[in-house]
Amino acid sequence: SGFTLVEVLIALAITAFIATIAYTSLSTVIDGVDRSRAVAQRTYEINRTWMIISRDLRQLAARPVRDEFGEDEPALVGGPAARYLLSFTRIGWHNTAGLPRSHLQRVTYRLEDDALWRDSYPVLDRAGDTEPQSARLLDGVTYLELGFLDNAARAQAAGRGTSLETRDWAENWLPDSGVVAGAGVPLPAAVEWRMELEDWGEMRRLYVLPPL
């Protein structure tokens, strides 16, 4: 005795149904793993960016420099009216190779093509042919704004509670007209970093700068 045509068709239909369910379940699991991996990678990139920014600002140094045009540049400048979004001198540049160079380093942050870039220079006082080493820190940055606090006491007086009002902070930190960039140019007491990502929305960090 054998199977009838109807029985064979029913068996094929059941097999196809089970195979479809198995494939859908496996595809869902694979997609979930890929999404989890992408989220983990994105989280790592964002946390790494904040760590680099925090490390640089914690090591701020009151060392003005000369740019490639021979102009004096304060130890820290920033804002939309400045040449770079944020530019400053930091200490702690490790010299594991024992090269004849300073432990100070000039770094700049800029927003270009929806990406956050960090430039670092091999020397403090640059020449016309000095090229920075550029690192693309984070993609998908839709906008980036900075706020500068001139007086820490003012923030302490106004910062009662869990939220600190920063809307009246200066959006630019530049030397006054006629003031030579040097030791007489003050440094801000704190910097607020406001950044919006296309997938994570707005993020905000407040950095209290070391007293110099």
Side-chain angles (χ1 to χ4, degrees), residues 17 37 39 42 50 80 104 114 132 166 175 178-179 198 205 212:
F17 178 72
R37 188 174 300 164
V39 170
R42 183 63 169 172
W50 287 126
L104 300 175
D114 292 333
T166 61
V179 176
E198 59 184 13
R205 292 293 186 276
L212 301 173

Side-chain angles (χ1 to χ4, degrees), residues 20-38:
T20 301
I21 294 177
Y23 175 80
T24 302
S25 301
L26 180 60
S27 177
T28 301
V29 171
I30 293 176
D31 291 343
V33 171
D34 290 340
R35 286 194 298 269
S36 298
R37 188 174 300 164

Side-chain angles (χ1 to χ4, degrees), residues 32-53:
V33 171
D34 290 340
R35 286 194 298 269
S36 298
R37 188 174 300 164
V39 170
Q41 178 63 27
R42 183 63 169 172
T43 303
Y44 166 77
E45 293 172 354
I46 294 173
N47 289 336
R48 176 178 175 271
T49 299
W50 287 126
M51 180 191 67
I52 293 174
I53 297 170

Side-chain angles (χ1 to χ4, degrees), residues 52-63:
I52 293 174
I53 297 170
S54 176
R55 178 200 62 191
D56 284 345
L57 288 174
R58 284 201 313 266
Q59 301 182 101
L60 177 66
R63 170 47 160 97

Side-chain angles (χ1 to χ4, degrees), residues 136-212:
R136 191 180 185 119
L137 295 182
L138 194 62
D139 292 315
V141 182
T142 56
Y143 83 84
L144 178 58
E145 295 177 346
L146 298 177
F148 301 93
L149 175 66
D150 58 348
N151 192 327
R154 184 162 63 89
Q156 293 173 357
R160 297 184 177 91
T162 59
S163 179
L164 178 63
E165 181 59 62
T166 61
R167 287 182 296 181
D168 60 340
W169 289 22
E171 65 176 6
N172 292 291
W173 195 262
L174 299 169
D176 295 333
S177 301
V179 176
V180 178
V185 178
L187 292 171
V191 175
E192 184 191 33
W193 193 290
R194 296 182 297 270
M195 180 169 61
E196 181 171 315
L197 307 180
E198 59 184 13
D199 50 353
W200 282 50
E202 187 179 60
M203 308 185 75
R204 172 184 170 187
R205 292 293 186 276
L206 185 63
Y207 299 101
V208 178
L209 302 183
L212 301 173

